[in-house]
Amino acid sequence: MTPHTPALPLQAVLFDMDGTLVDTERLWWEAVEQVAGRPLSEADQPEVLGRPVEHTAAWLSTATGRTEADLAAELHREFADRVRTGIVPRPGALGLLDALAGAGVPTALVTASPRAVADVVLDALGAGRFAVSVTADDTDRTKPAPDPYLAACRALGVEPAACVAVEDTETGVASAEAAGCAVLAVPSLAPIGTAPGRTVRDSLVGVTPEQLREMAAPEIRVMSWNLWLGGSKVDDHRAKQVKAVLESGADVVGLQETGGSAAQELAEALGWHHHRAGENLGVISRYPVTARFGDPEVGFYGAAGVRIRVAPGREVDVWTAHLHYTPYGPYEAAFDGLGAPELIAHEDVRLEQMRDALRRIAESSAEGVPVVLVGDFNCPSHLDRPDVEWPVTRAAADAGFADSYREAHPDPAAEPGHTWSPIHPVHEDGSGRPEPQDRIDYVLHRGLTVRDARTLVTGVPRPWPDVAGNDWPSDHAAVVTTFALPRT
């Protein structure tokens, strides 16, 4: 039995410097213009904002013919001169630093600027405000790589998942999120879009330590994906599967139709952990697997699960299930005209498989450990078709599982969330009848908070049978849900 443990507190707040705490983005912009010998435009922003001096120097070198070393030295001088005479704290910055100090929350300065410039700013703000400072001189790679934030967390002895990073550029946000921090984005010169785990505000004015604590709740992004016989119908399917998982941003993926080796091969390609069950089911996870559940020799249909450690003291159980495909209710409704009683009666096989999965979940569950159940259920949901009380999803709901997609998108007419099928617009019997499009793949949960849920198909898949060249190597859409772990 895993003990019930408290949620991670807000362990630290990690501040970017330029444009976040002090108004130096403008000074940096002016310094680059001076060295470049021309006004900068919006098109120059990706090479200037949030970038280390060396990057901008290399960029200027290609245009001016000057050496990168000379340009870097001149950029250092121009920027440092401006900082000494023109530094201005950003609105709300000093007030937030004081409030965090009063609340006992440690802070760090994490900047892509060199140490010489950072020390000038620290002197102006008060170096004692920060327990740690990390500059471009302190790590082999700087932003957008995660190294600076990871270095700050190591120095403070804290977990990235329990920290909030405060940033003003896309480059800095990418660095902090790659390190696993929640992000408060306060754009300075260029806009920053919203995303799961990211809060965007106009300024630091009014930001409180309690608000930052709420942002620091650990998240996990879970994906359900039927690989379609391991992906074997599509050329170069393994590389395409890896690409899809990376683009999804998933932390853990429950797989069906793995074709035997897909879970292990995908995990090895990603550098992740994995669990393989039988020839058809698997789970891959960027987080360590601490326990495995279910029959390891499960047949083509059934369920298997793992327990993963998301952060110290924070675990989640993730189960993947694949239920029998026939008789298929949407066909019986659309093609055979069966009514609700017959459709419900024909769910007996899948219903028993779901009940078996729920029994196994109940046997392995631990107090305080949330559970996610994903899978290809091969049946519609009672939440989507009110005329039929589909018993398989109802059984899961009766066992306490909520449907993450319907929590995020409660109106099935406006957001149907179809997962079957991106490659079957017409029925494959040659009749030309439209294929019933339906939601049969799910990410269910018990004990989590849904932040976001969506279906995923990359590219524009060509229809069956001309699928070999598709970018999307499956006949199902995937489902991807971002959860916040509970605050206890």
Side-chain angles (χ1 to χ4, degrees), residues 384-396:
D384 294 354
R385 298 187 178 199
D387 55 323
V388 181
E389 186 73 1
W390 297 97
V392 171
T393 55
R394 169 53 71 185

Side-chain angles (χ1 to χ4, degrees), residues 13-259:
V13 180
L14 317 173
F15 287 92
D16 172 59
M17 184 179 77
D18 301 328
T20 301
L21 286 175
V22 290
D23 191 11
T24 54
E25 292 286 11
R26 173 181 54 83
L27 303 179
W28 172 242
W29 190 266
E30 292 172 1
V32 176
E33 283 186 329
Q34 176 67 29
V35 175
R38 65 171 178 84
L40 300 180
S41 69
E42 185 177 339
D44 299 317
Q45 289 181 355
E47 309 300 333
V48 177
L49 295 184
R51 293 294 190 174
V53 172
E54 291 72 19
H55 176 96
T56 304
W59 169 66
L60 289 174
S61 179
T62 62
T64 64
R66 296 173 58 188
T67 68
E68 294 180 21
D70 286 345
L71 287 164
E74 187 173 356
L75 286 167
H76 278 303
R77 288 194 301 272
E78 290 289 338
F79 184 52
D81 287 345
R82 286 168 170 78
V83 167
R84 290 187 187 96
T85 59
I87 189 170
V88 177
R90 296 286 290 171
L94 297 183
L96 178 56
L97 287 169
D98 290 341
L100 289 167
V105 179
T107 58
L109 187 74
V110 184
T111 178
S113 293
R115 171 61 63 185
V117 174
D119 284 345
V120 173
V121 174
L122 284 168
D123 287 342
L125 293 176
R129 294 180 183 273
F130 302 95
V132 169
S133 62
V134 176
T135 73
D137 300 337
D138 300 323
T139 57
D140 292 336
R141 299 184 302 171
T142 189
K143 303 173 186 180
D147 305 37
Y149 280 102
L150 293 174
C153 289
R154 285 194 297 270
L156 290 169
V158 298
E159 294 291 333
C163 297
V164 174
V166 187
E167 275 283 356
D168 75 309
T169 67
E170 286 279 8
T171 302
V173 167
S175 173
E177 290 181 344
C181 302
V183 170
L184 170 60
V186 187
S188 56
L189 295 180
I192 297 174
T194 59
R198 183 190 308 168
T199 302
V200 181
R201 289 186 57 142
D202 292 333
S203 81
L204 294 177
V205 175
V207 176
T208 66
E210 185 54 39
Q211 290 171 337
L212 295 176
R213 286 191 186 96
E214 293 298 323
M215 295 176 198
E219 289 186 340
I220 182 171
R221 186 170 296 172
V222 181
M223 179 175 176
S224 180
W225 197 13
N226 182 311
L227 294 182
W228 190 21
L229 301 175
S232 57
K233 301 293 185 180
V234 176
D235 295 339
D236 199 21
H237 55 274
R238 193 70 75 232
K240 292 174 180 178
Q241 290 165 348
V242 170
K243 181 173 182 285
V245 171
L246 289 173
E247 290 180 351
S248 75
D251 300 304
V252 57
V253 186
L255 301 168
Q256 309 90 43
E257 293 196 33
T258 58

Side-chain angles (χ1 to χ4, degrees), residues 2 288-291 293 305-309 315-317 364-366 369:
T2 299
V289 173
T290 61
F293 307 121
V306 299
R307 180 164 295 157
I308 59 175
R309 187 177 68 247
E315 293 181 310
V316 178
D317 289 354
S364 65
S365 291
V369 178

